Amino acid sequence: MTIGFIFDLDGVLTDTAEYHFRSWKRLAEELNIPFTREDNDALRGIDRRRSLELLLNGRSYPEAQMQALMERKNNYYLAYLDEISPDDLLPGVQDFLLEAKHAGIKLGVASASKNARRVCEQLQIQDLFDVLGDGYSVVNPKPAPDLFIWVAGGMRLNPRQCIVFEDAAAGIDAALTGGFWTVGLGPAARVGHAHRVLPSLASAKVSDFAIPLT
Ligand code: B16
Ligand code: MG
């Protein structure tokens, strides 16, 4: 049976959360809004627009200013991306991707980030993927299932033929709603509703996922 693995990017293949944090923090300081690392944790896997709304915490701005604030944060973030290299792949990721590719498994990325393609290029993994879904691919962000369905469709697979690897609660919600098998990476308090939970991909073997995760 052809199967596919679909990976979230930030928190699964690499950890860009620190750069997102520093960029949001700088914006928050300019706006005189308190913003902590704990606040940033709530933005895990959340798209840029919703992240800004959460940071503003009920403050409202005209649409043009919202756009300008998102652009300003993104410019801060873009300045960090040059620093990303293959060394920034999370432990075990490179071996896991190569093992899966070698086994004939289709590989996809499903990231909320509009910068996902650039990050994959910096990590030098973009050629491993059959489909790369990012923040431009669908209208409705996670927890809507649309992005995972878009990626699976691009791989010519049904959701039940695919396993989604995610670190965010919203991502697991999205994949479950779409009918995918799910592997949650991180604490059970966050991703315990996935079919299977692992701390990370550090010691994962592709053969562990050869059968459906019932
Ligand atoms: P951008 P993922 C997400 O990546 C990040 O976890 C989240 O913090 C970020 O706000 C979102 O991408 C959008 O990123 O501003 O670059 O479009 O986990 O979905 O790979
Ligand atoms: Mg993530």
Side-chain angles (χ1 to χ4, degrees):
M1 181 176 78
T2 309
I3 59 167
F5 287 174
I6 302 177
F7 299 89
D8 174 57
L9 181 60
D10 176 30
V12 171
L13 301 180
T14 190
D15 208 351
T16 40
E18 178 64 25
Y19 298 141
H20 282 295
F21 170 66
R22 290 186 207 168
S23 309
W24 284 126
K25 178 79 181 159
R26 183 168 167 193
L27 184 74
E29 279 171 358
E30 289 164 358
L31 298 173
N32 272 317
I33 294 174
F35 186 71
T36 64
R37 280 185 184 277
E38 290 67 44
D39 296 330
N40 191 63
D41 242 18
L43 309 185
R44 182 182 286 268
I46 303 294
D47 72 306
R48 198 182 305 169
R49 168 98 200 186
R50 182 75 191 121
S51 296
L52 176 61
E53 289 168 0
L54 289 168
L55 180 140
L56 293 176
N57 195 16
R59 297 165 183 83
S60 67
Y61 290 92
E63 180 55 28
Q65 208 168 340
M66 292 290 281
Q67 292 295 338
L69 291 173
M70 284 189 280
E71 193 180 332
R72 208 198 297 173
K73 180 269 174 178
N74 195 51
N75 286 335
Y76 298 154
Y77 181 66
L78 286 175
Y80 288 118
L81 293 190
D82 282 340
E83 295 177 24
I84 295 178
S85 77
D87 288 344
D88 292 302
L89 285 167
L90 283 168
V93 164
Q94 178 129 20
D95 287 349
F96 191 77
L97 291 175
L98 292 174
E99 194 190 343
K101 191 86 187 160
H102 187 69
I105 293 167
K106 290 196 175 164
L107 301 180
V109 167
S111 169
S113 175
K114 290 183 168 160
N115 300 299
R117 188 166 294 278
R118 167 86 190 283
V119 172
C120 287
E121 284 168 4
Q122 294 280 133
L123 293 168
Q124 296 179 20
I125 54 172
Q126 76 278 14
D127 292 341
L128 292 174
F129 295 103
D130 299 284
V131 180
L132 195 154
D134 62 15
Y136 293 107
S137 303
V138 296
V139 173
N140 301 317
K142 305 169 192 175
D146 304 30
L147 183 60
F148 292 120
I149 291 169
W150 190 91
V151 173
M155 300 195 302
R156 300 284 181 270
L157 295 174
N158 294 316
R160 268 292 185 256
Q161 295 173 296
C162 300
I163 301 175
V164 167
F165 297 83
E166 252 290 352
D167 70 311
I172 297 294
D173 291 339
L176 289 174
T177 302
F180 292 84
W181 299 108
T182 53
V183 175
L185 301 174
R190 196 171 71 216
V191 290
H193 51 316
H195 292 94
R196 191 179 292 177
V197 178
L198 295 175
S200 70
L201 288 174
S203 53
K205 291 265 165 287
V206 168
S207 53
D208 296 342
F209 303 100
I211 48 163
L213 307 177
T214 45

